[in-house]
Amino acid sequence: MSTATAQPPSTERREAAAEAASQAKRLRMLDVVFEARAFIALAVLIIVFTLLSDTFLTVTNVITMTKHVAINGILALGMLLVILKGGIDLSVGSIVGLSGVVAGELLGGVTLFGVIAYPPVWVVILVAIAVGTFVGAINGILVTRFNVAPFIATLGMLYVARGAALLISDGETYPNLGGDEELGNTGFDWLGTGKVLGIPVSIYLLVILAAVITVLIRKAPFGRWLYATGGNERAAELSGVPVRSVKARVYMISGACAALSGLIIASELTSAAPQAGETFELNAIAAVVIGGAALSGGRGNVRGTLVGAFVIGFLADGLVNLGVSTFWQIAIKGAVIVLAVVLDQGQQRFKKRGAAAAAAAQTAPPKA
């Protein structure tokens, strides 16, 4: 006489469940390694360059390299917001050059109603940043109002901003931005060469900006809207997120960050060239991607972006310190960018496999 009592799971099913749980654990460990890839890359660079050069890890050189990192780091923080939204901003390099030219034009005197006016430095800085923000606003309008693809919109503004810089300057460099004490427009060089407690001002600006953006994306509603828009724009819109406003704002912030980087460069060199900032957009994108952000949007953070900026900066300065050819530097930097994207895609595949393995382990029958 047969009974309907439940039979214990077979040995094969128990072994399959154990294998699924083991695979899920291994994939989780691999995911942790992928998440820390930027930190690992930075540590490897520091170790390798320290072994190859006695001057690489000296205090003076580290401060100098961090000062260089600050310029790209500020650019990358603005780019992070755009990429979190699922967009791209190719115009930031041209905004770097345009903001420097605007500063040079204002410091050289502006003719108003037949009178030459020399605005103070703080006015020059605000106007230059406003110009960068304005270019970013145009990017935002093209993307949100006219539905132009971000790549095309910002590529177009790359040429527009660069052309504007060349037109304003007639293609020439502004050689002396030190100002004149009698005119009351001195002090611009402090932005790029000034120090507080032995630390360059640009590094403080990077830290402050990083803190502000961290609070913005982690504590403010704007941050939740930003991640939601980048993760699934349609779902975010149906949930009441002001998607258009979020898009426009990130491009404006990116433009302002690019203008600030341009001002730091012009201040450090006490000169402004319309060609400044060429290919800087690629360095900013590389820093964000190396830091773990997804180009598709919805994933990334300030910490990773800063580490990515340090990887790019330390790699470039380390190669210069070793006397590596500029051509090789460009090739190596390109290879690093490609590797970062490949690793990001690999991480996503491992995450999907890990989720599937975890689901299989949870749905497997318990051991008898």
Side-chain angles (χ1 to χ4, degrees):
M1 183 176 178
S2 63
T3 60
T5 58
Q7 298 295 322
S10 64
T11 303
E12 291 79 4
R13 296 183 67 184
R14 289 198 301 270
E15 291 178 351
E19 177 62 26
S22 177
Q23 183 182 10
K25 184 178 180 179
R26 289 195 300 269
L27 291 174
R28 284 197 300 270
M29 293 177 63
L30 283 174
D31 184 56
V32 171
V33 173
F34 273 115
E35 287 289 345
R37 63 182 180 273
F39 294 93
I40 295 172
L42 181 59
V44 169
L45 285 177
I46 292 174
I47 293 171
V48 170
F49 285 130
T50 300
L51 293 175
L52 295 176
S53 173
D54 295 334
T55 62
F56 181 80
L57 210 58
T58 60
V59 174
T60 302
N61 194 50
V62 169
I63 292 176
T64 301
M65 290 191 298
T66 306
K67 182 180 178 181
H68 296 161
V69 168
I71 295 173
N72 186 42
I74 292 172
L75 266 179
L77 289 173
M79 186 68 72
L80 170 66
L81 299 182
V82 176
I83 289 179
L84 282 176
K85 189 272 307 176
I88 201 76
D89 189 354
L90 300 179
S91 66
V92 293
S94 296
I95 296 175
V96 167
L98 178 60
S99 64
V101 165
V102 169
E105 187 72 18
L106 293 176
L107 288 169
V110 182
T111 303
L112 297 174
F113 307 107
V115 178
I116 300 179
Y118 295 89
V121 170
W122 66 269
V123 172
V124 172
I125 292 174
L126 289 179
V127 171
I129 292 177
V131 169
T133 306
F134 176 72
V135 176
I138 295 177
N139 284 329
I141 291 172
L142 291 173
V143 172
T144 59
R145 300 296 178 182
F146 295 95
N147 295 320
V148 180
F151 182 90
I152 301 301
T154 58
L155 179 63
M157 289 309 298
L158 177 153
Y159 289 106
V160 171
R162 186 68 68 187
L166 291 167
L167 287 170
I168 293 172
S169 64
D170 289 328
E172 298 180 355
T173 298
Y174 295 87
N176 183 15
L177 303 185
D180 192 328
E181 291 184 3
E182 295 181 357
L183 300 175
N185 62 348
T186 58
F188 181 70
D189 57 338
W190 184 80
L191 190 64
T193 61
K195 293 184 178 181
V196 177
L197 301 177
I199 305 298
V201 172
S202 57
I203 297 178
Y204 287 105
L205 292 175
L206 174 64
V207 172
I208 293 171
L209 183 62
V212 170
I213 292 182
T214 298
V215 172
L216 182 66
I217 65 177
R218 294 183 62 180
K219 303 295 182 181
F222 176 80
R224 295 190 293 272
W225 297 342
L226 181 59
Y227 280 102
T229 302
N232 190 322
E233 182 176 323
R234 180 58 180 165
E237 191 172 15
L238 293 175
S239 301
V241 173
V243 172
R244 285 189 174 183
S245 176
V246 170
K247 285 184 176 181
R249 290 179 189 177
V250 295
Y251 283 107
M252 292 172 68
I253 295 172
S254 179
C257 290
L260 179 57
S261 290
L263 289 172
I264 293 173
I265 294 173
S267 172
E268 182 178 1
L269 301 175
T270 62
S271 64
Q275 298 85 3
E278 290 183 347
T279 72
F280 275 29
E281 60 276 0
L282 302 182
N283 289 338
I285 294 170
V288 176
V289 173
I290 290 173
L295 288 173
S296 57
R299 178 167 56 84
N301 56 61
V302 170
R303 181 184 64 254
T305 298
L306 290 178
V307 176
F310 272 95
V311 169
I312 292 294
F314 278 23
L315 174 64
D317 285 344
L319 293 174
V320 170
N321 201 22
L322 294 177
V324 177
S325 166
T326 303
F327 307 133
W328 275 108
Q329 292 179 35
I330 296 172
I332 292 172
K333 188 182 298 183
V336 169
I337 294 172
V338 172
L339 179 62
V341 175
V342 170
L343 289 175
D344 179 70
Q345 296 299 316
Q347 180 184 9
Q348 298 312 305
R349 288 194 295 270
F350 274 115
K351 278 190 173 182
K352 291 179 181 178
R353 290 174 57 186
Q362 290 178 359
T363 56
K367 293 182 179 181

